[in-house]
Amino acid sequence: MKTIAIIGAGAAGMMACATICESDLHGNIFLIDKNSDIGQKVLLTGGGRCNLTTGLTDIKEILKRYPRGAKFLKYAMYEFSPEKARKWFLDHKLRTKVEDDMRVFPASDKSMDVISVFMKIFDKHKVKMLMSNEVLSVKKVRDGFELDLQDRKLLTVNKMILAAGGGSYEIAQSFGHTITKLVPSLSALKLADPMDLAGVTVKKAGLRLRYGTDKYEYEGPFVFTHSGISGPAIFALSALAAYADFDDKNPAKLFIDFAPDLSREDVLQDIKNEISSSPKKDFANTLAKFVPKSATSKFKGKNAAVGKNEINKSVEFIKNCEFAVIGRAGGNEFVTAGGISLDEVDPKTMESKICHGLYFGGEVLDIDGVTGGFNLQAAWATGRIAGVSAVN
Ligand SMILES: Cc1cc2nc3c(=O)[nH]c(=O)nc-3n(C[C@H](O)[C@H](O)[C@H](O)COP(=O)(O)OP(=O)(O)OC[C@H]3O[C@@H](n4cnc5c(N)ncnc54)[C@H](O)[C@@H]3O)c2cc1C
C-alpha cells in the first residue's frame, strides 16, 4: 500500500490531492496544512469571487502571461489547459463564466464553491486531513520520507508533494534544492508626483518602464491612485520588472502612451483639425479626447490661442507622459516571484531531479503570472501533473 503526503492545501495541493483521489491508488493520502481549513487563500482570490483561470484558449498566448516559468509550464499547460481545467470543474458540478476581460469565475461568483468541489472529493475518498498542523521538517528515509509535524507526531510516507505556496522553501532546500531570489510581484507603483489624478481610470495605454538599461513594456487598463498608479496593466508591468530595485533615491522612469493605437503624427493632425474646426473650444477639452479630462487641466486657454510649442508639448504629454517611479505598493493580488529553481524539476512530472519521490506544485516553484487567473491556472496545472506522477 502506497502512502502519499501533500504539504499545503492551497490550489496546487488541493488539485494534486483530488487527482490522486480520482486515480486508482490503493493507499493513504495525507493532506497537511498549517491553516485550519483547506484553500484559505483561494477563498480570498478575485475579491472573494475567485478568478480561477483565463478564458484564453491559445496556449502560446497564455504562456506569454508568465514573466517567469513560461517554458517550464508548457507541458503542464497543454496537459491541463484552462479549457481542461474548466471542464474538470464542470464535471464536478461547478459552472464557470468568462467575463469581458477573459477572466473566468464560478457562475455563482463565490470562491467557496471552488473549495466545496475539493471538500466533496476529499470526503468521498477519505483523505486524511491534517489541518492546523505545520510540517516542521522532512527527512529522507529508506522507502520515502519522514515528516516532523507540529503536533509532535512523525509521519512516514512513500511519496511527497510540496505545494506550500510562497513559503516553507527550507523543506525544498533541505533536499538540496536552490531557491531563486524571492520578491513580491503584481504590485502597484508609487510615483514621485501622481499629479492629483487619484481615481482617474484609463481603459488602454501603452506603458514603458525604464530602470537603468532595462526596459519593460505592457499595454492595458490602469488607474491613478493617491500615491501612484495601479490596475491590471500596472500589475503586469510590475511583474515583468519584479527584480528592478528602484526607490526614491534611484527612481525608474515610466512613460505612458495614452493613445497607443495612434501614431504621434495622427495625434498631432487630429489636434490641429480640432483647433481649426472649433477655435472657441477650450484646448484642455480638445485634449480630453486622448487623455482623462482631469489630466488636461494644465493646458489653459482656447484652441485659437494655442501656439505651436504648446501643441507639441500636448502631443508629448499624450504619447510620452513621463513619471518617476519611486517604489511599489500593495496590489489586489500578491504573488511571490522566485522559488524552487526550475532547472532542478522535471516539467513533465514535477518530480525533483535531486530527490526521487519528491514532487512540487504551484507557487513554491519559480513560476509567476500576471493577473487574470494565470496564477491559479499554473497552480491547477502543476498540481495536476504532480498528482498524476506521484501515483505512478
Ligand atoms: C489576495 C489575493 C488574491 C488573489 N487573486 C487571484 C486570482 O483571482 N486569480 C489568480 O489566478 N491568482 C490569484 N492570486 C494568486 C493565487 O492565490 C496564488 O497564486 C495561488 O493561491 C498559489 O497556490 P499554491 O497552492 O501554490 O499556494 P497557496 O494557495 O499559498 O497554498 C499553500 C498552502 O501551504 C500551506 N503551507 C505552507 N507551508 C506549510 C507547512 N510547512 N506545513 C503545512 N502547510 C504549509 C499554507 O498554509 C497554504 O495553505 C491571489 C493572491 C492573493 C494573495
Side-chain angles (χ1 to χ4, degrees), residues 23 126-127 210 241 254 262 283 292 301 304 319 321 340 345 354 387 391:
S23 71
K126 303 198 170 30
V127 172
R210 211 165 71 205
L254 174 68
L262 294 176
F283 186 48
K319 290 295 291 174
C321 192
I340 296 167
V345 183
I354 299 174
V391 174

Side-chain angles (χ1 to χ4, degrees), residues 6-14 32-35 37-42 44-47 49-53 103-105 130 133-137 149-150 162-171 186 331-336 361-365 370-380 382:
I6 300 143
I7 305 180
M14 291 193 296
I32 312 164
D33 204 295
K34 57 186 176 187
N35 287 331
D37 295 295
I38 64 168
Q40 294 279 71
K41 203 200 271 183
V42 172
L44 301 175
T45 56
R49 294 200 299 140
C50 186
N51 172 202
L52 73 164
T53 186
R103 292 188 300 161
V104 173
F105 292 90
L130 308 181
N133 214 340
E134 185 171 356
V135 178
L136 302 176
S137 63
L149 302 177
Q150 186 187 346
L162 183 64
S168 295
Y169 296 107
E170 59 285 355
I171 295 178
L186 299 178
N332 58 6
E333 181 175 327
F334 175 87
V335 168
T336 306
E363 208 179 312
V364 75
L365 291 160
V370 301
T371 53
F374 298 97
N375 285 299
L376 282 174
Q377 174 58 34
W380 306 135
T382 53

Side-chain angles (χ1 to χ4, degrees), residues 173-243:
Q173 275 171 320
S174 70
F175 288 96
H177 278 281
T178 315
I179 309 300
T180 62
K181 188 176 174 194
L182 304 168
V183 290
S185 186
L186 299 178
S187 38
L189 297 176
K190 284 188 198 160
L191 301 179
D193 176 14
M195 296 198 333
D196 281 337
L197 293 175
V200 171
T201 56
V202 177
K203 284 202 183 107
K204 187 178 175 190
L207 302 163
R208 281 186 301 123
L209 189 78
R210 211 165 71 205
Y211 184 62
T213 53
D214 297 331
K215 290 180 191 147
Y216 311 91
E217 288 183 11
Y218 208 82
E219 194 175 285
F222 71 86
V223 58
F224 284 99
T225 65
H226 289 288
S227 62
I229 190 165
S230 183
I234 294 296
F235 297 148
L237 190 70
S238 80
L240 293 173
Y243 289 100

Side-chain angles (χ1 to χ4, degrees), residues 21-39:
C21 286
E22 294 181 336
S23 71
D24 52 7
L25 176 89
H26 297 290
N28 287 323
I29 312 165
F30 294 90
L31 182 60
I32 312 164
D33 204 295
K34 57 186 176 187
N35 287 331
S36 54
D37 295 295
I38 64 168

